[in-house]
Amino acid sequence: MRAVEPADMANGGKVRTSHVEVVFSAGWHREAWRTDLPRECQECQTSCQSACKTSCTVSNQPCPLDDAR
Amino acid sequence: MSDPVAQGVGLRVGDAAGGRRHSLPPRVHRFELHGVKLAFDAGSGTLLELDQAAWRVLGDYLAQGPEAPALRSPMPGMLTAAEEEARRELDRLRESGVLLSPVTLPARPEPVLKALCLHVAHRCQMSCSYCFASGGDYGRAAGSGLMSPATARAAVDFLLGSSPRVGRWAMDFFGGEPLLNWPVVRETILYAERRAASLGGQVRFTLTTNGLALTPARLAFLDQHGVDLIVSVDGRPAVHDAVRRTISGRPTWSRAVRAARLATSTRLLDVCGGAAVGPGGGGQDRSGDERPVRGARAGPTVWIRGTFTRRNLDFAQDALFLFHLGFSRVSLEPVCGGPPDLALRPEDVPYLAGQYELLARECAANGFRFYHFELDPTGGPCLSRRMAACGAGNEYLAVTPEGDLYVCHQLVGQEEFRVGDVWHGITRPEVGRKLWQHDVSSGQCADCWARFLCGGGCRAAAFFEHGEVGRPPSLECALQKKRWECALWLAARRRGRPG
């Protein structure tokens, strides 16, 4: 058994310990503290879920925030 | 990529720098599916796979309630050695912020209109038994039922003029059957492209069709302009033809599938299993690897979308039927209302849940893509955009053929949800504001594990069930939670695979 270390989480979010595996972590709990939104997101000020879209309809790409995570 | 654990350690509710509203308590959903034990942390968006020891320890902890301070051993000797190990691992995850995580809600920005659903035709060649549009005219039966070119241009001007800084807009051609007004579809695409380009932006188009009037020439135009397609097919021929017939009563399955095959023939990424191939002769295997095949071009998508009713509660068979026809992207939606013999009932939920579970297993085994299992938790919207559902009434509006604006396509014809028209703009802003107030920060959604996955659910479904938009629709809510469980299970199954 070994404890979960920060380096584990940095490895694509995949952690395997003896008893628990982190399949993924979206990190939503950290977003409330964000003050460094990319400029395009600040200007966008829209909801990506409009019209039932599930990704950013501004860039038609995954949300730029993902690169900052 | 930054280090998430390092970022998470030491944060406290109340540290937020601006934009803070309030915090929501920790919420963990622990569930087992197909023999896999999983826990989803609603605050951080973290999915854990647990072994038996961790499953039991976490279960005991959750039974203590959300106020329990830590995953402490209740008494020395109460846990086995394996459970004590699991307890320490889970506690480490809790300390690092990814388990039992409270979350401070970010402020939601003021909404900006960026999407329109254009009802270019309130007419249809079909008369589907469950149609929420009452055969295409939404019970309005006004005028010709076809949007004029002038009205369509005014709609484009209204959208782009409402949010000129957005730069990226979305328009969905809907009906009735939009291809019955093909000249306006075509002219509107060309006009919107020119107008958007003059502002330095672009419009992304979607067209939802029954396929009966889809021709190679029209498809070529839609391909050229990157229009995403949604083609309606309900699944097995008998299921489809029982409810989807022409006005004169003729079956439509063969024609709809022919149209769906035509649409996928030019959109290579949506064809799988070797039952159909693209122009380059490529295809896609069933391994779950969704990477483009050599020579394929990235481009507009096509989804095969159907509806299931009380007549085909075994809807997983319809989805699998479509997958095995060669369509790799399929969505089947529970019928919205409908006559009593078709409408779903609360007592159907357990059986329907089993159907979703069956479907998830098939998706994992064969690489099929079922729309409601496409979770993408780490690549989707940010938290502020997960707090509410579709943006209806604010970021998204529907336009009737006459130019009236409604908060969404499903609520067209409901007078209380009419908010203006494309010539005068929004004349009843209070309607949109009321919808915007409903998010997951309060009410029963605030305490739900799926709060940031569904954003509170469909407001139209809530209205049709409760007569108000503020309460989540109960049947849809139950089905959505099961779909999220299946999607999370699939994410666990697919991790580490390419693509």
Side-chain angles (χ1 to χ4, degrees):
Chain A
M1 175 265 178
R2 68 181 176 85
V4 180
E5 300 297 337
D8 295 322
M9 294 295 290
N11 183 25
K14 296 180 178 65
V15 180
R16 180 76 229 186
T17 64
S18 299
H19 305 282
V20 184
E21 181 169 0
V22 180
V23 178
F24 63 75
S25 182
W28 298 332
H29 61 303
R30 294 189 309 275
E31 291 181 6
W33 284 270
R34 295 192 64 90
T35 56
D36 57 342
L37 294 183
R39 181 170 171 271
E40 59 206 277
C41 290
Q42 294 176 37
E43 293 188 349
C44 169
Q45 296 190 341
T46 59
S47 165
C48 289
Q49 290 181 305
S50 282
C52 305
K53 304 293 183 189
T54 55
S55 61
C56 180
T57 53
V58 174
S59 65
N60 294 325
Q61 299 292 326
C63 176
L65 283 171
D66 295 330
D67 294 333
R69 281 177 185 156
Chain B
M1 183 73 76
S2 57
D3 179 353
V5 165
Q7 286 187 1
V9 170
L11 294 176
R12 298 285 185 275
V13 174
D15 286 347
R20 181 186 137 207
R21 289 180 17 139
H22 64 82
S23 62
L24 295 181
R27 183 65 56 219
V28 174
H29 180 54
R30 174 177 162 272
F31 66 101
E32 186 170 0
L33 185 56
H34 297 317
V36 180
K37 296 177 173 61
L38 297 163
F40 180 70
D41 185 89
S44 64
T46 299
L47 180 65
L48 306 176
E49 185 170 339
L50 311 172
D51 72 358
Q52 180 61 40
W55 172 263
R56 187 189 156 193
V57 169
L58 184 59
D60 287 347
Y61 175 79
L62 295 175
Q64 297 173 42
E67 303 305 321
L71 288 150
R72 295 200 181 95
S73 176
M75 287 180 63
M78 291 279 287
L79 299 180
T80 65
E83 289 167 346
E84 179 57 25
E85 276 187 351
R87 184 195 66 76
R88 285 199 295 270
E89 290 176 23
L90 290 166
D91 212 29
R92 175 76 177 105
L93 290 171
R94 185 192 61 79
E95 289 170 1
S96 65
V98 298
L99 179 63
L100 293 158
S101 171
V103 61
T104 299
L105 295 174
R108 293 175 64 207
E110 284 299 307
V112 176
L113 180 68
K114 68 170 186 177
L116 285 184
C117 180
L118 287 187
H119 290 216
V120 291
H122 272 186
R123 289 165 62 176
C124 189
Q125 321 95 313
M126 295 173 62
S127 181
C128 303
S129 308
Y130 49 59
C131 183
F132 66 80
S134 305
D137 68 3
Y138 293 75
R140 292 157 51 90
S144 69
L146 298 181
M147 183 177 283
S148 70
T151 301
R153 285 195 297 271
V156 172
D157 292 342
F158 168 71
L159 172 64
L160 275 56
S162 297
S163 51
R165 293 180 62 209
V166 164
R168 301 289 186 276
W169 300 270
M171 298 187 80
D172 183 23
F173 294 100
F174 202 74
E177 170 49 45
L179 292 181
L180 291 183
N181 199 2
W182 173 251
V184 165
V185 170
R186 189 177 184 283
E187 288 180 29
T188 305
I189 290 171
L190 296 172
Y191 179 73
E193 284 179 339
R194 284 198 307 273
R195 287 278 288 115
S198 72
L199 295 170
Q202 67 183 67
V203 182
R204 178 134 195 176
F205 303 101
T206 307
L207 187 142
T208 303
T209 178
N210 60 33
L212 269 56
L214 185 66
T215 64
R218 290 174 176 180
L219 181 63
F221 178 86
L222 297 170
D223 280 347
Q224 184 183 353
H225 294 272
V227 180
D228 293 325
L229 280 175
I230 300 169
V231 183
S232 300
V233 186
D234 278 2
R236 293 166 290 184
V239 168
H240 179 103
D241 285 336
V243 285
R244 296 185 65 82
R245 288 181 169 262
T246 63
I247 292 174
S248 60
R250 299 178 64 184
T252 60
W253 183 87
S254 296
R255 295 169 70 187
V257 168
R258 195 180 311 135
R261 287 189 183 281
L262 174 65
T264 54
S265 69
T266 61
R267 297 168 188 225
L268 196 57
L269 295 180
D270 298 287
V271 180
C272 77
V277 293
Q284 190 175 302
D285 66 23
R286 295 169 183 266
S287 67
D289 185 346
E290 292 279 336
R291 290 173 299 182
V293 292
R294 185 182 299 274
R297 65 173 176 80
T301 62
V302 55
W303 283 84
I304 308 304
R305 182 197 182 283
T307 299
F308 67 85
T309 73
R310 203 153 201 277
R311 286 191 191 165
N312 62 317
L313 293 176
D314 61 341
F315 71 91
Q317 298 307 316
D318 292 289
L320 294 175
F321 182 86
L322 293 169
F323 285 130
H324 289 298
L325 280 181
F327 304 118
S328 68
R329 296 187 185 198
V330 169
S331 178
L332 284 180
E333 310 288 335
V335 66
C336 182
D341 62 323
L342 300 181
L344 301 172
R345 303 172 189 173
E347 60 264 33
D348 299 330
V349 169
Y351 186 85
L352 296 173
Q355 292 292 295
Y356 282 120
E357 292 180 2
L358 189 159
L359 199 46
R361 188 158 54 194
E362 291 294 324
C363 287
N366 297 301
F368 301 143
R369 295 183 66 178
F370 185 66
Y371 179 80
H372 293 293
F373 296 163
E374 296 294 304
L375 182 60
D376 192 20
T378 59
C382 60
L383 191 63
S384 67
R385 288 169 287 195
R386 288 181 177 275
M387 288 170 56
C390 65
N394 294 279
E395 298 165 334
Y396 163 69
L397 295 170
V399 187
T400 69
E402 298 78 32
D404 290 330
L405 295 166
Y406 283 83
V407 297
C408 94
H409 64 287
Q410 289 205 51
L411 291 170
V412 164
Q414 301 286 337
E415 200 54 27
E416 66 191 280
F417 292 106
R418 191 175 65 81
V419 294
D421 62 56
V422 294
W423 294 279
H424 302 94
I426 304 294
T427 54
R428 299 179 65 209
E430 67 276 12
V431 179
R433 274 200 298 272
K434 185 178 177 185
L435 282 167
W436 190 249
Q437 289 168 359
H438 294 294
D439 62 29
V440 300
S441 64
S442 61
Q444 65 190 87
C445 295
D447 197 39
C448 177
W449 66 269
R451 59 201 178 198
F452 296 135
L453 296 174
C454 76
C458 175
R459 305 300 178 214
F463 174 77
F464 289 127
E465 179 175 331
H466 303 302
E468 58 167 298
V469 297
R471 279 194 291 161
S474 57
L475 194 139
E476 183 198 80
C477 187
L479 296 180
Q480 280 217 18
K481 286 177 184 169
K482 174 48 67 177
R483 293 198 295 249
W484 292 126
E485 284 187 351
C486 292
L488 292 166
W489 176 83
L490 259 179
R493 284 290 307 270
R494 286 173 170 168
R495 68 187 181 281
R497 293 190 184 184

